[in-house]
């Protein structure tokens, strides 16, 4: 049976226990969400770096072809 914190004399301690529980819950969920998002971020960064690399080298190769 659930006890009433006010009757048990633990009213001041109860909000702290709830805060700790929810803080741990948020931490666990945030870790899980970040673990799912991390591969997508890595793929996006790889595509961005490849785009910048192509954007930098394409004019150089075009200039080399025009000199022939």
């Amino acid at each position: 049976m659930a006890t009433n914190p006010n009757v048990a004399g633990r009213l001041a301690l109860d909000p702290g226990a709830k805060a700790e529980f929810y803080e741990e819950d948020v931490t666990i969920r945030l870790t899980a969400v970040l673990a799912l998002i991390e591969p997508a971020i890595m793929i996006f960064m790889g595509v961005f770096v490849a785009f910048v690399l192509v954007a930098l080298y394409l004019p150089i190769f075009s200039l080399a072809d025009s000199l022939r």
Side-chain angles (χ1 to χ4, degrees):
M1 185 168 148
T3 61
N4 186 349
N6 193 20
V7 173
R10 297 179 289 134
L11 185 59
L13 300 177
D14 193 50
K18 287 182 183 178
E20 287 179 18
F21 172 76
Y22 284 119
E23 183 178 355
E24 183 178 341
D25 187 46
V26 167
T27 303
I28 291 169
R29 288 179 189 239
L30 187 62
T31 303
V33 168
L34 288 177
L36 292 173
I37 292 175
E38 187 176 348
I41 292 172
M42 295 298 284
I43 290 171
F44 173 76
M45 288 177 61
V47 169
F48 181 74
V49 168
F51 175 76
V52 170
L53 189 67
V54 169
L56 290 174
Y57 279 122
L58 198 58
I60 295 171
F61 291 143
S62 296
L63 181 63
D65 282 341
S66 68
L67 294 177
R68 287 184 193 180

